[in-house]
Amino acid sequence: MISDERKKELLFPFDVVRDEQNKLLLLTDACIKSKRNLLVHAPTGLGKTAATLAPALHQAIEQDKTVLFLTSRHTQHQIAIDTLKAIKQKYNVDASAVSIIGKKWMCTQPGVDKLYSGDFADYCKKLREEKKCNFYTNIRQNMTKLTVNGTNALKVINSRGPLSTEEVIDHCRLQEMCPYEMSLAMATKAKVIITDYYYLFHPNIGDNFLTRIGKEMENLIVIVDEAHNLPYRLKDLASEFLTTTVIQRAMKEAKKYGYDNTLQTLQELKDLLETLAQGLAIGKEKTISRQVFENPLNDSYDFDQLIEDFNAIADAIRELQKTSYLGSIANFLEKWQGQDDGFVRIVSYKKGMREPFVSLSYRCLDPSVVSSDVINGTHSTILMSGTLLPTQMYKSLLGVEDVQEVAFKNPFPKKNRINLVVPKTTTKFTQRSETQYKNIATQISQMTNK
């Protein structure tokens, strides 16, 4: 067990260090110090957050780095903030931190919670460019400079930190300032940034985020919480879909606002998707090439010009109703031109709520095409989860190099565990359904209520 002096050096904020937690604490410090990556299977209850965040902050202070704590769970944001508060209180060190969730969920403009993420991004951009968002103009003169009031508000918030996202939103709402922009301003000086996976791994958002907060990839110490989710999240982030349903909604949109010339183009696009799906039964799919979709469109249109036209009309429509299905189509067409390596293009015929529809997708199959350069470009990345076995599989899936793989034992005695077999339900893939899920939930509820 480490000494009190070593515990102080590593900024561990609690009086007792558990046996397995002690090993993770030292291992995390050693890996960061030697600029190596770490892949950790550590069962729930071991105390992973404190065992990784404390030494990461220690090394960030020592080496002038920034800790990026990535998690898909909002509750984990609060646990990380509470850990940093405990560190600051116990050792009086610079534990400055900011918790950032999705920009849409931090926005205080009325009605934005009903927008799709892509539509929100375009709506927000439009308001900022036209200086119609008071929350933004109250805090920023431009992308790089705060207003006087924004600078003063930032000083007040920093003096009270570390704060949760909700606390920052509440403070900014009172000041009529944008919570997201305030959080970005906080992030430029923060030693720890707690946020979602996509702020680092999203192909477009990641680079822009680091540029906005003035951070270089090689100066980041990254902790990925619940890392078993990362491969699936990355595949979703890199995939795009277009359906005949979306095209039909775009046609209604174009007709509503008088874009009659666009109606014909959209009808041809819908006809093309239906042609590609000919012969498919409902629930079936097949792979296609990039050219099979692109070439028929290029016969009548310039593909790049088509994207520009859709984007321009979408911008005009968002002036009137915030959202635009044409913008979603333009986004898909842009992504469709992406690389083939690690991706597949699929046309599907699916059962809809009212009628069947065709779906065309550009799907990421290999998450390492998104993650490998990012993970291996950081100072050090710690990937941890209670379900990260076999570690070799996740190393391969994510393309992690120069990595130490460790599996820790369950910290709880086996005698404390109760194993129950419930023959009334099953998780077998072929029997999964809404009814089965409800049965499982009912059985769990009945047991816990006892």
Side-chain angles (χ1 to χ4, degrees):
M1 195 64 65
I2 64 172
S3 65
D4 287 343
E5 192 61 34
R6 183 78 167 121
K7 196 161 61 172
K8 180 180 179 181
E9 181 188 355
L10 297 183
L11 302 178
F12 189 77
F14 305 115
D15 294 333
V16 178
V17 186
R18 302 164 192 162
D19 288 343
E20 295 293 279
Q21 189 182 43
N22 180 71
K23 298 174 188 175
L24 179 56
L25 186 69
L26 296 172
L27 183 60
T28 300
D29 184 64
C31 282
I32 296 173
K33 195 171 185 178
S34 60
K35 295 184 65 175
R36 297 193 70 203
N37 297 317
L38 178 61
L39 216 159
V40 179
H41 166 80
T44 301
L46 185 140
K48 296 185 289 292
T49 301
T52 54
L53 191 50
L57 177 59
H58 159 66
Q59 289 293 344
I61 294 171
E62 287 286 308
Q63 301 190 49
D64 192 23
K65 307 297 180 186
T66 302
V67 179
L68 205 57
F69 189 96
L70 305 179
T71 176
S72 59
R73 293 187 301 159
H74 197 180
T75 53
Q76 192 62 31
H77 281 240
Q78 190 59 53
I79 293 172
I81 287 290
D82 289 343
T83 302
L84 292 167
K85 285 181 177 178
I87 291 172
K88 184 177 181 180
Q89 184 176 359
K90 190 175 183 69
Y91 300 115
N92 193 30
V93 298
D94 177 15
S96 54
V98 59
S99 169
I100 305 176
I101 58 175
K103 187 177 183 180
K104 171 185 166 183
W105 305 112
M106 299 183 78
C107 183
T108 47
Q109 282 281 358
V112 296
D113 57 313
K114 297 179 177 63
L115 301 179
Y116 291 111
S117 295
D119 289 326
F120 168 76
D122 293 325
Y123 173 65
C124 174
K125 181 181 178 183
K126 196 77 174 174
L127 286 184
R128 286 186 284 111
E129 288 177 346
E130 296 180 359
K131 300 188 184 303
K132 292 181 178 178
C133 178
N134 291 335
F135 301 105
Y136 181 81
T137 55
N138 284 345
I139 188 173
R140 283 205 179 273
Q141 293 184 38
N142 52 51
M143 291 283 282
T144 59
K145 191 172 183 180
L146 297 179
T147 62
V148 173
N149 288 339
T151 301
N152 292 334
L154 176 62
K155 289 177 182 176
V156 172
I157 286 182
N158 279 335
S159 68
R160 296 176 180 175
L163 299 179
S164 67
T165 304
E166 290 76 17
E167 289 171 319
V168 172
I169 292 173
D170 288 343
H171 185 86
C172 287
R173 186 178 281 112
L174 290 174
Q175 301 293 321
E176 294 189 355
M177 293 182 182
C178 174
Y180 179 75
E181 291 297 331
M182 179 62 74
S183 297
L184 287 186
M186 294 166 67
T188 61
K189 301 294 184 182
K191 296 308 294 181
V192 181
I193 302 167
I194 305 156
T195 191
D196 191 271
Y197 302 149
Y198 62 73
Y199 277 111
L200 181 65
F201 290 104
H202 190 286
N204 299 322
I205 293 174
D207 289 341
N208 182 57
F209 176 67
L210 294 182
T211 300
R212 290 289 311 275
I213 64 175
K215 307 293 183 185
E216 300 287 341
M217 189 80 73
E218 60 266 27
N219 291 325
L220 295 179
I221 298 168
V222 178
I223 301 172
V224 182
D225 184 46
E226 302 294 334
H228 66 278
N229 289 322
L230 189 58
Y232 311 103
R233 281 288 303 277
L234 295 183
K235 286 191 287 186
D236 286 345
L237 282 176
S239 300
E240 287 292 335
F241 299 84
L242 176 64
T243 68
T244 48
T245 304
V246 167
I247 297 173
Q248 286 174 319
R249 290 171 180 169
M251 291 171 72
K252 290 180 181 178
E253 192 175 86
K255 186 176 181 180
K256 179 180 178 181
Y257 294 108
Y259 293 99
D260 297 331
N261 292 337
T262 307
L263 276 172
Q264 178 61 33
T265 306
L266 290 169
Q267 183 63 57
E268 290 178 26
L269 188 59
K270 181 174 177 287
D271 292 343
L272 175 56
L273 260 65
E274 290 171 345
T275 300
L276 293 175
Q278 278 183 354
L280 287 178
I282 291 177
K284 298 298 181 181
E285 62 185 25
K286 65 180 179 181
T287 59
I288 63 169
S289 68
R290 171 179 168 175
Q291 288 71 29
V292 167
F293 173 68
E294 256 183 62
N295 288 348
L297 288 175
N298 277 325
D299 288 341
S300 304
Y301 309 96
D302 178 276
F303 201 83
D304 291 331
Q305 186 61 51
L306 191 62
I307 295 171
E308 280 189 37
D309 291 345
F310 281 175
N311 272 325
I313 297 171
D315 283 343
I317 289 174
R318 289 189 195 103
E319 290 271 358
L320 304 169
Q321 63 174 35
K322 295 184 182 178
T323 66
S324 171
Y325 289 105
L326 273 163
S328 300
I329 296 173
N331 186 57
F332 175 83
L333 296 179
E334 285 184 56
K335 290 293 179 68
W336 182 262
Q337 297 176 301
Q339 67 187 61
D340 290 325
D341 188 29
F343 290 80
V344 66
R345 302 165 201 270
I346 295 175
V347 61
S348 315
Y349 192 44
K350 298 185 176 184
K351 180 181 179 181
M353 293 290 288
R354 296 178 181 174
E355 59 183 5
F357 65 93
V358 180
S359 173
L360 184 62
S361 56
Y362 173 66
R363 296 189 205 172
C364 177
L365 297 181
D366 179 6
S368 70
V369 301
V370 179
S371 62
S372 186
D373 286 346
V374 174
I375 290 173
N376 300 316
T378 65
H379 175 87
S380 180
T381 292
I382 295 96
L383 299 128
M384 62 182 189
S385 172
T387 51
L388 209 58
L389 291 176
T391 55
Q392 177 64 34
M393 180 186 78
Y394 286 95
K395 173 187 173 183
S396 176
L397 273 175
L398 296 169
V400 189
E401 301 168 3
D402 190 19
V403 60
Q404 185 165 348
E405 302 168 56
V406 182
F408 287 97
K409 294 184 295 185
N410 193 312
F412 302 107
K414 282 189 176 180
K415 66 180 181 180
N416 290 3
R417 185 192 307 165
I418 181 171
N419 295 310
L420 301 174
V421 177
V422 185
K424 296 181 180 180
T425 61
T426 178
T427 57
K428 187 177 180 181
F429 182 78
T430 55
Q431 295 187 43
R432 292 178 190 176
S433 65
E434 287 302 316
T435 301
Q436 188 67 251
Y437 299 149
K438 288 177 182 177
N439 287 341
I440 293 171
T442 298
Q443 293 297 322
I444 292 172
S445 177
Q446 289 175 352
M447 284 187 281
T448 55
N449 287 342
K450 292 289 185 182

